[in-house]
Amino acid sequence: MGCWNILIKNGNLFDGYDFCGKKDILVSGGKIKNIADFIDEPVHLVFDAKDKIVMPGMIDIHTHIFGISDDSIGTSADGGCLPFGVTSVGDGCSEFGFKAALDAIKTKVFAFVPVWVKNGVPAFKTAEDLLQRFGDKAVGVKAYFDYNVSKESTLEILKEICEFAKSKNLILMVHCSNSVSSMVDIVKVLSKGDILTHIYHGGSSTCLDDNYSAFSLAKEKGVVLDSGFAGHVHVDFNVFKRAMEDGYFPNTISTDLTNLSTYYRGGVYGLTLCMSLCRDYGMPEIDVLKAVTSNAANALKKQELGSIKVGDNADIAVINYETSPFDFTHLTPYGAKGDKQYKCYLTLSDGQIVWRR
């Protein structure tokens, strides 16, 4: 592998689970070769991460990538992810492309194949064909509980899709904005490891309607609660504010990134901005960082990602929380705004520098 030897010095290391203090990290041959309080070895590049957080390459479990999702919303994986410290993503509606296309992208992309419902019948044959095309890049299937997307979704059909996912040992991700069914009724159908996304939406059947019963049940069952922001589209900032104040935080933070949001909504929109929103609304920083590293890796069943330890592939991000205004108020009446957010200074993917500020 044509990788430089890189020494990241003086950073505050977050290893995916906890803060480890100020550490130096030596990267060689695409791997993490050493982590220590002080390293002094000849390398091609020394990056001083003083006063910054050094963390695993981040994982955005809900995006829409060009050539994989529909072209009307698909965005560049590398352009929309690497500058934000994101090295791995889940594509939330993988209908196009094939495994070789995903292998050609520097960002690691994993596929959630949609199960559309036609005339009251889930299109399992189409989903199976897509799963074969994506091979081991396919991690799950996607169901829509949104009357603006699919007017045929019912809890009985969701049960069928859930059984289909189980039979394939796949994750089921459920889009729950504007559902005719309550969030808690949807969670009752889901199994441990399934994902409920857009949990702070402002359509019908919000998390406030049942006093967070869906969140409590999801925690009990091991269902993953995913933010799925989409800028301001699938989050109501009033709902979000109330839930965060009451301590109902997401397990994973994701962007629902599309070509309609990348570098636009709220400012320079990407995962770091979504993390900043969660921090600003009361989520502890360590939980924010877990939500885009170890929690996200577990959600995708890709435990080889989301951590930093000797011998791992060197997927690394260096970030800082600093002055950088963002503003959603011109997009929605109750939008968020702030003066500070996380910014990415360095991204390594398999030991290669893919972004440097």
Side-chain angles (χ1 to χ4, degrees):
M1 180 180 290
C3 296
W4 285 9
N5 294 336
I6 300 168
L7 182 58
I8 301 173
K9 292 191 67 69
N10 306 313
N12 183 14
L13 175 61
F14 175 77
D15 67 358
Y17 300 91
D18 209 345
F19 284 102
C20 306
K22 191 174 79 170
K23 299 290 181 182
D24 292 353
I25 301 176
L26 179 63
V27 174
S28 180
K31 303 282 188 180
I32 297 172
K33 184 178 179 181
N34 192 16
I35 301 171
D37 292 340
F38 181 79
I39 300 173
D40 183 16
E41 289 194 22
V43 293
H44 297 99
L45 174 71
V46 176
F47 185 89
D48 187 1
K50 183 180 179 181
D51 299 325
K52 297 178 177 62
I53 298 170
V54 180
M55 62 185 295
M58 290 183 268
I59 304 166
D60 187 348
I61 73 165
H62 187 168
T63 65
H64 293 278
I65 302 305
F66 182 79
I68 309 301
S69 281
D70 191 278
D71 287 353
S72 65
I73 59 170
T75 194
S76 164
D78 292 347
C81 298
L82 300 176
F84 298 91
V86 175
T87 54
S88 302
V89 301
D91 179 89
C93 191
S94 303
E95 295 185 271
F96 304 98
F98 42 89
K99 182 179 183 298
L102 299 185
D103 288 336
I105 299 171
K106 188 60 181 174
T107 306
K108 299 174 179 70
V109 182
F110 302 101
F112 284 90
V113 167
V115 179
W116 297 115
V117 180
K118 301 176 181 178
N119 300 319
V121 179
F124 290 134
K125 178 61 171 65
T126 301
E128 287 181 343
D129 290 344
L130 289 169
L131 290 170
Q132 289 185 2
R133 279 167 48 188
F134 288 116
D136 61 5
K137 292 289 187 175
V139 295
V141 297
K142 177 82 169 285
Y144 284 87
F145 259 65
D146 184 337
Y147 52 68
N148 292 322
V149 178
S150 173
K151 293 180 170 57
E152 296 188 79
S153 295
T154 66
L155 291 172
E156 289 304 314
I157 289 174
L158 181 61
K159 290 176 184 177
E160 291 184 54
I161 297 173
C162 192
E163 289 304 315
F164 174 78
K166 282 183 184 177
S167 73
K168 303 289 184 182
N169 196 29
L170 295 170
I171 306 158
L172 172 59
M173 177 185 284
V174 178
H175 166 127
C176 70
S177 295
N178 299 306
S179 171
V180 295
S181 299
S182 70
M183 287 179 68
V184 70
D185 283 341
I186 292 172
V187 173
K188 287 176 181 176
V189 177
L190 302 184
S191 301
K192 181 178 180 180
D194 289 338
I195 301 168
L196 187 69
T197 190
H198 308 314
I199 56 173
Y200 304 112
H201 73 83
S204 60
S205 304
T206 76
C207 63
L208 304 182
D209 293 344
D210 57 17
N211 195 29
Y212 309 113
S213 295
F215 283 32
S216 300
L217 182 60
K219 181 178 181 180
E220 179 184 321
K221 296 184 69 174
V223 171
V224 176
L225 297 172
D226 176 56
S227 66
F229 279 105
H232 66 292
V233 175
H234 287 304
V235 61
D236 180 304
F237 286 105
N238 280 338
V239 173
F240 179 53
K241 181 175 185 291
R242 284 268 306 278
M244 299 297 273
E245 286 175 347
D246 290 337
Y248 290 94
F249 306 132
N251 301 119
T252 56
I253 300 171
S254 72
T255 58
D256 192 13
L257 197 67
T258 70
N259 62 13
L260 303 174
S261 58
T262 313
Y263 296 99
Y264 169 64
R265 289 173 178 159
V268 182
Y269 184 75
L271 187 57
T272 48
L273 179 50
C274 296
M275 294 161 60
S276 303
L277 286 167
C278 288
R279 172 179 168 147
D280 291 350
Y281 277 68
M283 190 172 178
E285 182 173 59
I286 191 168
D287 293 329
V288 170
L289 300 183
K290 286 180 181 179
V292 296
T293 55
S294 56
N295 285 5
N298 289 332
L300 293 181
K301 297 183 180 178
K302 296 293 178 182
Q303 283 80 7
E304 69 275 15
L305 305 174
S307 64
I308 287 181
K309 60 182 183 296
V310 174
D312 282 355
N313 285 345
D315 288 358
I316 298 174
V318 178
I319 66 172
N320 191 38
Y321 186 73
E322 61 188 53
T323 300
S324 181
F326 63 90
D327 189 353
F328 286 93
T329 57
H330 69 293
L331 298 170
T332 179
Y334 308 107
K337 64 185 299 185
D339 296 322
K340 298 183 75 174
Q341 61 177 297
Y342 290 106
K343 294 178 71 173
C344 181
Y345 280 79
L346 180 73
T347 308
L348 302 186
S349 177
D350 296 319
Q352 295 182 338
I353 299 173
V354 290
W355 169 257
R356 184 180 181 186
R357 187 175 293 279

